[in-house]
Amino acid sequence: MSAHGAAPEQGRYWTPPRSPRPRDGAGRTGVLPQLVLSAVCAAYAVGAATGWGSERVALIMGDFGLSAAGLLASASCFWYAYKHSTPFRPAWLLFGFSSLMAGLGNGIWGWYEIVLNQPVPRPSVADYCFLLFAPPAIIGLLVLAKRPVTRAGWICLGLDAWLIGGSLITLSWSLALAHTAYWQGASVARAALSLAYPLLDIALVSMVLVLHFKRSSAHRSAVNTAIGALALTVLCDALFTSPLLREHYSSGQFLDAGWFAGSLLLAYAPWVARRDAGPWGPAEPPAASAGPAVTGRADPAAASREAAVRAASRPIAGSLAALTPYLAAAVCTLGILYNSLDGREIDRVVLFTGCTVVLVLVVRQGIMLLDNITLTQELAQKENHFRSLVQGSSDVIMIASSTGVLRYVSPAAAGVYGRDGDELVGSELSSLIHPEDLGRVLHELRRFLAAKPKEECSTRIECRFRHGAGHWLNIESTVNRYQGGLIFNSRDVTERVRLQAQLQHNASHDSLTDLPNRALFTERVRKALSGRRGGDSEAAVLFIDLDGFKAVNDTAGHQAGDELLIQAARRLQESVRAGDTAARLGGDEFAVLILGDSDPSKHAGAERELRIQEIADRLRITLSEPYRVEGDTEVKVAASIGIAFAEPGISPAALMRNADLAMYRAKQAGKARVELYAPQMRNETDAAVKRSELGTRLRGAMHDGEFALLHQPVVELSSGKVSAVAAQPRWRSAQGILFTPAEFLRTEGGAGGAAGPGGASGAAAKDGQGDRAAEVCRWLLEEAVEQAAARQQAGFGAPVTVRLPARRLTDRSLRLNHIEALLSRHALPPGTLILELSESDPRLPLDELEMRLTALRRMGVVLALDGFGSGSLAISALRRLPVDILRLDRGMVDGVVESPRQRKITAGLLRIAGDLGLTSVAEGVDLPEQVTTLREMGCTHGLGAVFSGPLDEHRLRRALARGAYPVPDDAAYTGRSVPSAAARAR
């Protein structure tokens, strides 16, 4: 990207906001302490220059003032090291100990001069305290220094210290120490003490000079302050060592101001470290530290200024560090020249020291030469390693300048981008990115460059990149900062993106027909409903079911069924408009979302319904045309379609459910038709849901033991003897209510119909819920047989009557071998089990039923025909079925006393039973008059409230033990009320 003539967007490739000039908040907060420190030092200097007004005050300020400053520096360093755990904590402890020695030495000096009023003895304890000032300070400087990482570095550090120290010894010996006569002729201890102090100062200043150029980058201000404090102290010590000053020195003079300022600077140094950095190093500058603020148009002047600011200190410091050995040798040479030019014989100390300095310089140069050779070899080896990594990497590595121009592209670009890396160098990165992705990429790069490097060291972008052949690749790049620009580590993720898109498509589309599935269809319905004013949409949903599809699967095979579904989906998709959605919901169920017109007033009310119905009818005709599957096999299915229109505030699930209800209404109305949703369909559905819920509760009740079996005695009308008991199931609900079979089995097949088990509806199987009715029948039979066997063992041999729908004996829900095994298991004698057949469906296969009943009769089962006199099956059954007992329907008993017509009909039925030699049982005998009338007509048995209601096992055994009930007659019961069934049971 050129700096001139580029497009506005491309000319400024990435332009992060300029980082504000770092504000040194610590510097602002440190202004006041610095002013106070300067004021105190200046006041002390003025006092020392003026003699403090009196000799006594001068002595106090010169001795105890310096002692107080040293103790203050010691306390400050100790307190900082105690409160803050930093890597430089040992250095501040050593500086604290060094200051403590200086403070104690000045205190002892003042004790002699001021308190004892006598000269300080030489040597004294104060001298030893002063000698202990330098060693801890030297070690503390080593802690602050940047530690060498190699053995050669440590050797060079020691050699550099000796170079500086030797040169200073040579110079000081030539200028001062050789001419010092006050220690000549003294004892060895005193002479050593006199020489030790200046030599230690020379060692300290040597370390100060060496470590000034090798200090750590952390706590720079603190280190500089500590070095300055020690340098000022050493300078004052050097002046004090000079014979000219030492002879005329007295406490309180101007020289003490230097020591005082050095102690206060050392006291202030650790707290500078606390303000300008955290515990692990200096605070990083803002994002500009990674490079200058990048702009589209290059500003050479600004770039030069920023580069100069960054590199101003380090090159100068490096140059001085490199010149230090030579400067030391030069100083040593000056010392020797001065000694020789003075006309005196060269001192052996000067000669020996100079020779060692030159020797050390030669050794140091040799070590540095060898170290440089080693470093050069390591650098070349690392460069080869990195070059091999970059060139051998399958990822493309690109370096872009601040203007977005590519400066380096790795060789992997040929395999990924289809273009050589050298060909891409110099091109603008923006020209290679897809225009639709360029804005997003620029935004992310600007945001990344504006962030702080510590908070975000890299970022990741994904975009389309132009291939050499002209097509686009999906590229994922990891971006890092690099010398004012950016480095991109890019890889081709086209296959991954394609796979993700395919997986997303598979998740939202049907695998067989490739139509949208239920999830995607529901989402589009939701968008259609929310696209207008809060659900006030003109959309409509069509639910489609293929009639006869199961027959195709069963006859032609599942492969043919799949081909039919694929062809139906293709027809459906070709028949809808471009903006509409056709989907497969599962199996042979499809759905279509028809969106409304942009102008809702164009089709309103009945006109809109007519238009949608026309579309649905067209789809029905299209889907009902013959299909060719498995080559030339022609199959045909029809389509039932339900339509539901969007209403204000309706949810997607409710709209789809309405269309589903309309589709089922179309199937119930004869199939191959179109039905519109109507609100009453919802009521029917709610009723069906309630029946389903109650049916589910019924199944749970069977498994939880909530069913109970009661028995009602069957009584001989002539003698009142109990001849049998009729088993009747009851469901005890959670509220303690007993439901009769007609009540709880109504949930299986709805109301209506006669005779299920114990009088329940026989339409249970018609609604597809006959499985639960079959379970009830099976439970009833097993429980009745088990309890009858228990009564047989107890001596109560009354047979038990179990009412079953005739349908159960013709399907697989109740097999004959199951009944035979049940009788065998409980050893029930023949004639003890009576099966009553209740069914009113004339479509029952009488041939199969006759065969099964004959088999049951051979097992010793007595057969009864229930509901005689109601339904068309009873007359046919009398001709075909091998029954032994006829149960007279309750409808034939009601009104038999009051209605002469009813009496004649009932009498005729009983006469037929008598002529056939069958036992007759009247159901619902609740009045004494009915007993007398039925007995006169020839009815032999009856059951009802006039004798007893249903009894539990305990009361039943009491009734069987009694053996008979009193038989009413006309004279006994004329004008009297009928006792309740409960009273008779007692």
Side-chain angles (χ1 to χ4, degrees):
M1 298 175 186
S2 61
H4 303 284
E9 180 64 25
Q10 296 180 356
R12 294 188 295 271
Y13 183 63
W14 50 71
T15 309
R18 289 186 178 273
S19 302
R21 186 178 300 242
R23 298 181 179 179
D24 190 3
R28 290 198 304 271
T29 58
V31 170
L32 182 60
Q34 292 173 3
L35 292 177
V36 173
L37 180 65
S38 301
V40 172
C41 293
Y44 191 96
V46 171
T50 58
W52 297 103
S54 67
E55 184 179 354
R56 181 73 174 176
V57 174
L59 290 176
I60 293 174
M61 295 303 298
D63 294 335
F64 291 121
L66 292 181
S67 176
L71 294 177
L72 175 63
S74 175
S76 175
C77 293
F78 282 142
W79 181 253
Y80 181 83
Y82 173 74
K83 295 296 290 184
H84 306 102
S85 179
T86 68
F88 294 153
R89 182 180 182 183
W92 300 118
L93 290 174
L94 292 169
F95 290 152
F97 182 77
S98 178
S99 299
L100 178 63
M101 293 298 100
L104 290 177
N106 283 302
I108 295 172
W109 194 288
W111 176 264
Y112 281 106
E113 285 191 337
I114 300 172
V115 178
L116 301 180
N117 196 18
Q118 65 182 22
V120 181
R122 302 299 303 274
S124 66
V125 179
D127 293 324
Y128 295 108
C129 290
F130 290 142
L131 286 178
L132 292 176
F133 168 79
I138 294 173
I139 300 174
L141 288 174
L142 289 174
V143 174
L144 290 179
K146 183 186 296 184
R147 293 172 177 80
V149 296
T150 61
R151 184 180 301 176
W154 282 105
I155 296 175
C156 289
L157 179 64
L159 295 178
D160 289 343
W162 172 245
L163 285 173
I164 297 175
S167 62
L168 292 179
I169 290 174
T170 302
L171 186 62
S172 60
W173 188 274
S174 301
L175 296 177
L177 295 180
H179 304 288
T180 300
Y182 68 91
W183 55 270
Q184 295 177 359
S187 63
V188 176
R190 183 172 180 179
L193 183 64
S194 300
L195 283 176
Y197 197 77
L199 292 178
L200 285 175
D201 281 343
I202 290 174
L204 182 59
V205 75
S206 300
M207 294 305 303
V208 167
L209 292 176
V210 170
L211 298 179
H212 175 69
F213 303 110
K214 296 181 179 296
R215 65 185 182 275
S216 174
S217 60
H219 303 303
R220 184 168 308 214
S221 300
V223 174
N224 288 338
T225 305
I227 290 177
L230 295 176
L232 183 60
T233 303
V234 170
L235 177 62
C236 294
D237 288 344
L239 294 175
F240 175 76
T241 307
S242 173
L244 296 178
L245 292 179
R246 186 177 180 88
E247 292 177 357
H248 302 88
Y249 171 79
S250 63
S251 297
Q253 291 183 351
F254 189 76
L255 186 61
D256 291 348
W259 282 316
F260 185 82
S263 296
L264 291 188
L265 281 176
L266 194 57
Y268 177 68
W271 305 102
V272 177
R274 182 61 183 171
R275 284 196 308 275
D276 70 350
W280 301 110
E284 287 289 338
S289 63
V294 185
T295 59
R297 299 180 181 272
D299 187 355
S304 299
R305 287 195 300 270
E306 292 179 5
V309 170
R310 290 197 308 271
S313 60
R314 283 177 293 186
I316 297 176
S319 301
L320 292 177
L323 293 175
T324 299
Y326 305 101
L327 294 175
V331 170
C332 184
T333 304
L334 289 176
I336 297 174
L337 290 176
Y338 175 80
N339 210 346
S340 60
L341 292 176
D342 195 22
R344 292 183 290 107
E345 182 181 356
I346 298 177
D347 192 281
R348 284 178 296 175
V349 174
V350 175
L351 183 60
F352 175 76
T353 305
C355 291
T356 56
V357 168
V358 174
L359 179 62
V360 165
L361 180 61
V362 173
V363 173
R364 184 186 185 281
Q365 289 300 107
I367 293 175
M368 292 302 297
L369 180 60
L370 294 177
D371 191 46
N372 287 338
I373 294 175
T374 303
L375 289 177
T376 302
Q377 293 175 350
E378 292 179 357
L379 181 61
Q381 185 178 7
K382 290 181 179 180
E383 183 179 357
N384 290 333
H385 287 168
F386 283 113
R387 186 179 300 276
S388 300
L389 289 175
V390 172
Q391 294 181 352
S393 174
S394 60
D395 293 349
V396 180
I397 299 175
M398 302 183 297
I399 299 177
S401 66
S402 59
T403 58
V405 177
L406 293 177
R407 297 303 184 194
Y408 172 79
V409 180
S410 66
V416 177
Y417 298 153
R419 301 171 64 181
D420 292 336
D422 296 337
E423 181 184 348
L424 291 174
V425 172
S427 60
E428 296 177 353
L429 189 58
S430 61
S431 63
L432 303 173
I433 298 176
H434 197 283
E436 296 179 1
D437 300 338
L438 183 58
R440 175 173 53 84
V441 173
L442 292 178
H443 175 75
E444 175 62 21
L445 293 178
R446 290 166 182 162
R447 184 203 60 79
F448 171 65
L449 288 173
K452 294 182 178 180
K454 275 191 173 182
E455 296 177 355
E456 189 173 7
C457 59
S458 65
T459 187
R460 180 170 296 180
I461 59 175
E462 188 170 336
C463 63
R464 284 167 289 181
F465 205 86
R466 186 185 298 277
H467 191 269
H471 61 275
W472 296 98
L473 301 174
N474 292 95
I475 298 298
E476 182 185 63
S477 301
T478 302
V479 186
N480 295 274
R481 298 174 179 86
Y482 178 76
Q483 295 182 359
L486 293 173
I487 182 171
F488 295 81
N489 192 350
S490 306
R491 62 202 62 87
D492 183 8
V493 293
T494 304
E495 288 300 324
R496 189 192 72 185
V497 172
R498 185 180 295 115
L499 179 60
Q500 289 176 347
Q502 184 63 39
L503 291 175
Q504 185 175 2
H505 178 84
N506 293 343
S508 59
H509 287 74
D510 178 57
S511 58
L512 178 64
T513 63
D514 203 39
L515 290 179
N517 58 13
R518 183 182 294 271
L520 180 57
F521 184 78
T522 304
E523 179 62 26
R524 292 188 179 178
V525 172
R526 180 179 293 106
K527 290 182 178 179
L529 295 181
S530 61
R532 294 180 62 85
R533 301 181 299 276
D536 185 15
S537 175
E538 297 295 324
V541 171
L542 278 61
F543 253 64
I544 305 171
D545 184 83
L546 300 181
D547 304 322
F549 175 74
K550 185 176 184 301
V552 175
N553 261 346
D554 295 340
T555 57
H558 289 280
Q559 180 65 31
D562 290 345
E563 292 184 13
L564 188 150
L565 291 176
I566 294 173
Q567 294 180 33
R570 188 180 303 115
R571 294 181 187 182
L572 195 62
Q573 199 164 22
E574 293 173 353
S575 301
V576 299
R577 299 177 303 177
D580 298 334
T581 300
R584 182 190 178 205
L585 304 184
D588 59 338
E589 289 187 348
F590 296 86
V592 176
L593 171 64
I594 300 179
L595 301 178
D597 295 321
S598 58
D599 184 8
S601 63
K602 184 177 179 180
H603 299 285
E607 186 178 355
R608 180 183 64 154
E609 293 183 4
L610 180 60
R611 181 176 62 90
I612 299 298
Q613 278 186 310
E614 290 177 353
I615 295 175
D617 199 58
R618 187 173 67 250
L619 292 177
R620 181 187 62 80
I621 296 173
T622 301
L623 293 175
S624 300
E625 294 178 357
Y627 297 84
R628 289 196 174 273
V629 296
E630 294 286 338
D632 293 333
T633 304
E634 183 177 293
V635 295
K636 189 173 182 180
V637 296
S640 295
I641 302 178
I643 304 174
F645 292 96
E647 301 171 357
I650 193 171
S651 65
L655 179 59
M656 295 171 63
R657 184 169 58 249
N658 292 346
D660 195 11
L661 293 175
M663 184 267 293
Y664 275 105
R665 172 57 63 90
K667 294 179 73 69
Q668 292 174 356
K671 302 181 179 179
R673 55 187 293 131
V674 176
E675 285 285 343
L676 289 175
Y677 169 76
Q680 57 267 25
M681 296 180 184
R682 178 67 57 82
N683 299 332
E684 297 175 0
T685 303
D686 293 342
V689 170
K690 291 181 180 179
R691 289 196 301 269
S692 177
E693 291 177 353
L694 192 56
T696 303
R697 289 173 53 197
L698 175 64
R699 169 173 284 183
M702 293 180 59
H703 292 289
D704 296 340
E706 297 179 6
F707 268 65
L709 190 62
L710 303 181
H711 293 82
Q712 190 170 13
V714 179
V715 181
E716 290 184 3
L717 297 181
S718 59
S719 62
K721 180 182 177 182
V722 179
S723 61
V725 292
Q728 295 182 2
R730 294 290 187 271
W731 176 18
R732 181 179 289 105
S733 67
Q735 294 76 20
I737 302 174
L738 289 176
F739 291 97
T740 65
E743 291 171 335
F744 67 71
L745 280 183
R746 187 177 296 119
T747 64
E748 296 292 325
S761 169
K766 295 180 182 180
D767 289 342
Q769 298 182 359
D771 291 342
R772 285 192 287 272
E775 291 183 13
V776 174
C777 292
R778 190 180 300 110
W779 175 87
L780 172 62
L781 180 60
E782 292 178 355
E783 190 71 14
V785 170
E786 182 179 357
Q787 293 188 17
R791 286 194 298 271
Q792 288 284 337
Q793 294 178 0
F796 305 104
V800 60
T801 300
V802 179
R803 183 180 298 176
L804 296 177
R807 176 184 297 274
R808 297 302 169 204
L809 297 176
T810 58
D811 59 22
R812 298 180 179 179
S813 61
L814 191 62
R815 297 180 180 272
L816 295 181
N817 56 3
H818 174 73
I819 298 177
E820 184 178 9
L822 185 64
L823 295 174
S824 301
R825 184 168 66 249
H826 293 287
L828 203 63
T832 309
L833 175 62
I834 303 173
L835 290 183
E836 289 185 356
L837 307 180
S838 61
E839 187 63 71
S840 60
D841 190 355
R843 295 174 296 179
L844 280 174
L846 291 180
D847 294 338
E848 184 178 356
L849 182 58
E850 181 183 4
M851 181 183 63
R852 289 177 178 266
L853 292 180
T854 302
L856 287 173
R857 202 171 188 183
R858 285 197 297 266
M859 296 177 193
V861 177
V862 180
L863 302 176
L865 184 62
D866 185 27
F868 187 66
S870 63
S872 59
L873 179 62
I875 302 301
S876 301
L878 286 177
R879 296 199 320 258
R880 302 281 304 273
L881 302 181
V883 296
D884 304 299
I885 301 172
L886 289 180
R887 173 175 286 192
L888 202 62
D889 186 76
R890 177 182 289 272
M892 296 293 101
V893 177
D894 292 340
V896 71
V897 178
E898 298 85 1
S899 174
R901 185 181 182 87
Q902 181 69 36
R903 194 161 46 246
K904 290 180 180 180
I905 296 174
T906 304
L909 294 176
L910 290 173
R911 188 164 48 251
I912 294 174
D915 294 342
L916 294 176
L918 303 178
T919 302
S920 58
V921 179
E923 183 180 2
V925 183
D926 298 333
L927 299 174
E929 295 82 354
Q930 294 174 341
V931 176
T932 304
T933 303
L934 291 172
R935 187 172 58 223
E936 293 175 352
M937 292 180 180
C939 183
T940 59
H941 296 77
L943 73 162
V946 70
F947 299 111
S948 174
L951 304 176
D952 58 21
E953 187 66 22
H954 176 69
R955 292 182 179 180
L956 176 63
R957 293 197 179 194
R958 286 175 54 188
L960 293 176
R962 191 164 54 243
Y965 286 93
V967 179
D969 53 29
D970 291 338
Y973 286 93
T974 300
R976 295 172 59 185
S977 61
V978 181
S980 65
R984 292 182 180 275
R986 290 193 294 269

